[in-house]
Amino acid sequence: MDRHIRKRVSLANPIHFLALGFGSGLAPKAPGTFGTIAAIPLVYLLGYSTSLTGYLLVTLVASVIGIWLCGKTAQDMMVHDDSSIVWDEIAGLLITMIAVPLSWQTVLLGFALFRIFDILKPWPISYLDARVHGGFGIMIDDILAGLFALVIMHITLYLGWL
């Protein structure tokens, strides 16, 4: 991340703190991967402490609030979508893991699938990533990557491959 851009955000600001994935987005290499890793404890916490309804509610709130968090942080940074903004990865992994029984294997597979879809951006993810801007634009590609990964996760589970 550019030093000048980094000076425009502060982890003391709760909006920036969340948008930067609790600071994980400031990793010098692969901030999206580190942002996704930062989501794993949240997945476990929600998976073991709430019902499916509670998990869905938190995931929905994280996704909707993420539009504002990411948009505001990008505006403060004066960039469209800096790689340090990783709240979208957190929401994406939460989506990936909806109704998935938790084990190290399912979390590892969910992590890998989400990162693959987030990095490769198959259509329509790539289409929206290129054409939709602001907080919604930052979030929508990861929401779709999470949904694609969720479908593959459930197919894998249904087929008994995991």
Side-chain angles (χ1 to χ4, degrees):
M1 173 172 48
D2 183 347
R3 269 183 307 168
H4 303 293
I5 293 172
R6 182 176 276 182
K7 290 180 182 178
R8 296 179 191 143
V9 293
S10 168
L11 293 178
N13 178 326
I15 297 166
H16 298 166
F17 178 73
L18 292 174
L20 299 175
F22 319 112
S24 64
L26 298 176
K29 302 279 186 201
T33 298
F34 280 94
T36 308
I37 290 169
I40 292 172
L42 187 56
V43 167
Y44 274 108
L45 177 69
L46 292 171
Y48 287 122
S49 67
T50 67
S51 64
L52 177 58
T53 303
Y55 189 99
L56 289 169
L57 184 61
V58 171
T59 302
L60 177 64
V61 168
S63 299
V64 172
I65 295 289
I67 295 168
W68 179 75
L69 287 173
C70 295
K72 174 69 173 129
T73 302
Q75 182 181 32
D76 292 349
M77 295 175 93
M78 298 182 211
V79 295
H80 161 61
D81 182 6
D82 189 76
S83 62
S84 65
I85 299 172
V86 295
W87 185 260
D88 48 335
E89 274 80 10
I90 291 170
L93 188 64
L94 287 173
I95 292 167
T96 299
M97 299 305 293
I98 292 171
V100 172
L102 295 179
S103 68
W104 70 267
Q105 296 95 334
T106 59
V107 172
L108 182 61
L109 180 60
F111 174 88
L113 288 170
F114 172 71
R115 291 304 298 147
I116 288 167
F117 285 116
D118 188 31
I119 292 166
L120 295 181
K121 298 189 187 317
W123 189 91
I125 298 170
S126 57
Y127 178 84
L128 293 170
D129 185 54
R131 289 170 178 77
V132 181
H133 303 288
F136 184 73
I138 294 169
M139 290 293 297
I140 192 62
D141 64 310
D142 292 84
I143 289 170
L144 286 177
L147 289 171
F148 281 30
L150 172 68
V151 168
I152 300 299
M153 285 294 295
H154 280 277
I155 290 171
T156 301
L157 291 168
Y158 178 78
L159 293 174
W161 293 347
L162 194 59

